[in-house]
Each structure stands twice: as structure tokens, then as C-alpha cells.
């Protein structure tokens, strides 16, 4: 998942506005599904962000080409933890752990469909 | 409707990113309703943007306090045209005409409820 | 220039938030330069949006793949007018004329460098 | 610091897009300075986000009025840790610890000016 930094992503400090790295990571999570002709909105519901632990290591700038790498840290009945890193070339500029909870269409916590679970494990493995 | 310019609104050029003026105007349109304990989502539907004609006169900067002034130019059965201007103090920095169409919950063009029509006329008048 | 619609681009209405189409068009303008190993920030300055006339024809949805097509309508000493259209497949969903003015690093109107002018004409032609 | 949730803050899921809570917190940090006729851009430099630990407890919706409460957890020579919580009425919906590092105009880590340190302690105290 390659992402270009455009004007809209930067701020007056001359670098990418801090919350946009979260957006880049979310694009990569959604694109996992889209690339396999699936939607991140599952039959039963969808995932929402529950916890984030993020480290900002370097600043990305206008015009930079960034790559987002996503791996699965943990998968449970109704939640998953992903580890996401953003690189500019070989340089790691951002990393975060994000815990997602699966909600049904009423907004209640709900089991991740078995098929989506398997899909995620096949796509991005389990690290630990 | 007073709006502060924050980091998120600016870009690497040091000024407000051009599309954010449209967001400021949308906040002002929504706030018209909220200020009167109503919602821009009406009983029958909601408004969507159909046309925009915008002029950028000056640049707003980080920390600026802006004021959005909204008036009604025209109101029809299923659409309205508003004129919106953004000021920094006495200085006009942006203006636009925006045509909004009223859609029902299926996404079809639908009459603006008479009560909402009257509400808008009472709140922001008709210029022409 | 192909653009995927992500969560961040949508709003509670279920479709792309209206000002984000302007962002998509700006990405396409910047990408014109990046694709040729140039920057939209020229040696002398950069372009800012002066006028926009936009028509919203259809709504784009989460997961849609959009294409932005850009052509040059007009080029003058210190300004250019581009015509930009956004398609979903064969379907035209948005179009706008955008007038850009070239500013130097002090923020004053400044000649578009001859080389950048030629570059734009070569890349996206002149319609009228 | 009271913040209204507008269309632009929501996504197709019907609630506030997750990274926008970070924006709301940043507005509150900047507003601390603006309210005292200061700028978050200090004489020597400015603050950038280094680490974030965030918990999402409830979802905010279109039209909600949110309040951001900010306190100082820790202040060092070149960095500060703030604890920020977002409430809807009495209900806590989001909280995070954010570590900010002070950079000079060259982008190097630099001492927080003594005066700004004192200002922050006076404004939002030290919890631990």
C-alpha cells in the first residue's frame, strides 16, 4: 500500500499533520479487503478503533511516497490487534498498534465472522 | 458563527487549505439548525451540495478568527441557494454561492418541508 | 489518476463529503508534477486556488474507485484555468473549472515560469 | 473548549471518524495558547506529537457537543505529556496521553522556553 503525501495531508509546520498517519493506516486496513474484492464492512457489521498506541519517529513531507505495512498481532472472537508501520523507503517513520472491535449493525460488540477471521490470518498472518 | 483556524486547517503553504473554506461554510449552515435546536437532517431528508461558485480573495492563517455570514439567495420547492462570506475582522477573504438540493432518505430529490423552508427564510432572509 | 474512496472521505450521509472532491482534484494536479519528477512548488513559487465552479452530478461511495481527468482550459502569464472531471467507470460524477494563480515565495502574484507553462501545455494540452 | 461535531467529522459508519478525536485534542492544546493571546508556535519553535496512547470509549455523533479537558501529566526540558479527555455531557467518550516534543525552527529537539513551561503549569497544572 503506497501513499503519496499531498497538500491536504500537511500543515503549516511543513510536515504531515499527526492524525493523518492514522488515516494512512486505516486506508491500508481497508485496502486489504478491497484488494481481495471484499469490503471492510462485513456481512455482520464492521470494525471500529478501540485503542491506539502510536510512535512518531520521523516526519513525512509534501510529495513523499510512503508505504504502510500491516501485520496481525492478535485475533480474538470480537477483536483484533494489528501492528502497522509506515516507511519512507527503508526509513521507519511511524508505527502503531491498533485494537479494533467488531460491531454489528446495531453498534453492539459482535463476533468476527469466521470467514473474515480466516481471511485476515491468510492475508497478514499472526505475529504472536 | 466564529471559527478558529487550527493546524489541521492549514497546509505546507502556510495558509488554510482551499477546500477547508467549504467546510467552514458547511459548519455555518449546520449551525443555523443546531442553534435553533433543530437538525440539518430534516424529517424527510437532508440537503446535499449541487453547485458551488467560489472566490478566494485573501488567505487565512493559523490562529485567525474567521466569521461566516450566510444569507439566502433563493428558495425553491426542492432546492435553495445560499450566499456565504467569510470575514477576518472587516476583511472579506472568501465568498461563495452554494446550491443545495433536498433529498429524501432514499436519495431522491424531495420537497423541502414547508416548515424548514419557513425556518430558513426567518433565519437568513431572501436577498433576491 | 485513480483514487479509492476511504472511510475518511465519507460522512454520515453515506457518501463522499462534498469538499473532498476538491481534494481529489488537487491530488491529481499535484500528481501531474510528481509523475514527471517535478514538484508543484516551482522554483519561483507555487499555485493557489483563486476561483472554483463545481457541479456535483452523482455521489461517490465508500470503496468506489474514481478517476480524475484534468485538462488545461487556459493559460496566462500568472494564472491557469483547468477543467477537472471525476469519473466512476464511465459515469461522470463531478466536474469543475478551477482558476489557479501563481504566487512567489512572498505571496505576491508572479509569472508562471516559462518552463512550467510549457510543461503543463505538453502534459494536459489547451482546450480553448 | 467546546466542539460541535459537523458532517466533515463523521464517516459512513454514522459516527466521528477515529482520527478526528486527535484533531479535537489538538484544537484544545492550541486554544490554551490562543485564549491567553499567545501562539502554540513559541519564539524558539513549536511542539510536535511524539507518542499517543488513546482509548475510544463511546462514539460521538453528528451534532454532538463535546468538551475537551486537558491536564499536564509531566513536563521536562524538551518535552511534555498531556492527558486529554473528551466528554459528551458527563459521559467520558475518549481519553489519551500525548507526548509532545519541542523542536526549534530547524526541526531539532530544543528546550521548552522557561516562560512557556511556566505558562503551561499555571494553565493546566501538573498531575503527577
Amino acid at each position: 500500500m503506497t501513499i503519496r503525501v499531498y497538500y491536504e495531508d500537511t500543515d503549516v509546520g511543513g510536515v504531515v499533520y499527526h492524525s493523518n498517519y492514522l488515516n494512512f493506516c486505516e486506508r491500508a486496513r481497508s485496502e486489504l479487503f478491497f484488494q481481495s474484492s471484499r469490503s471492510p464492512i462485513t456481512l455482520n457489521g464492521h470494525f471500529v478503533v478501540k485503542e491506539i498506541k502510536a510512535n512518531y519517529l520521523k516526519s513525512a513531507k509534501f510529495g513523499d511516497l510512503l508505504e504502510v505495512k500491516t501485520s496481525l498481532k492478535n485475533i480474538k472472537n470480537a477483536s483484533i490487534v494489528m501492528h502497522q508501520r509506515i516507511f519512507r523507503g527503508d526509513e521507519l517513520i511511524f508505527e502503531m498498534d491498533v485494537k479494533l472491535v467488531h460491531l454489528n449493525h446495531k453498534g453492539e460488540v459482535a463476533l468476527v465472522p469466521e470467514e473474515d477471521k480466516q481471511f485476515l490470518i491468510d492475508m497478514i498472518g499472526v505475529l504472536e
Side-chain angles (χ1 to χ4, degrees), chain A:
Chain A
M1 174 76 183
T2 302
I3 286 167
R4 172 82 74 184
V5 176
Y6 294 111
Y7 272 115
E8 67 192 274
D9 304 313
T10 61
D11 70 21
V12 65
V15 295
V16 169
Y17 182 70
H18 71 289
S19 81
N20 289 332
Y21 295 96
L22 273 63
N23 299 23
F24 298 162
C25 287
E26 191 278 318
R27 294 184 199 175
R29 294 195 303 272
S30 287
E31 202 58 43
L32 277 179
F33 289 85
F34 291 135
Q35 287 296 328
S36 305
S37 304
R38 303 168 77 95
S39 169
I41 301 177
T42 67
L43 271 182
N44 297 8
H46 64 289
F47 294 97
V48 297
V49 173
K50 191 68 189 164
E51 284 176 32
I52 278 175
K53 286 184 194 168
N55 287 296
Y56 294 77
L57 306 171
K58 302 276 178 184
S59 295
K61 293 180 195 63
F62 180 57
D64 278 355
L65 270 181
L66 306 178
E67 196 166 352
V68 186
K69 294 189 177 166
T70 301
S71 57
L72 201 56
K73 266 193 104 162
N74 192 293
I75 190 155
K76 295 195 174 160
N77 287 337
S79 70
I80 55 180
V81 179
M82 289 181 181
H83 180 63
Q84 297 192 283
R85 290 170 299 161
I86 302 181
F87 291 87
R88 177 178 46 208
D90 292 340
E91 201 178 14
L92 179 62
I93 62 168
F94 174 85
E95 60 179 344
M96 77 170 183
D97 282 348
V98 54
K99 183 179 181 179
L100 301 159
V101 169
H102 191 256
L103 300 185
N104 64 20
H105 299 304
K106 296 182 205 150
E108 303 158 343
V109 174
L111 295 184
V112 181
E114 204 55 45
E115 195 207 17
D116 286 284
K117 230 164 152 171
Q118 198 54 52
F119 166 72
L120 285 167
I121 292 171
D122 292 348
M123 284 294 283
I124 53 177
V126 173
L127 286 188
E128 39 175 40

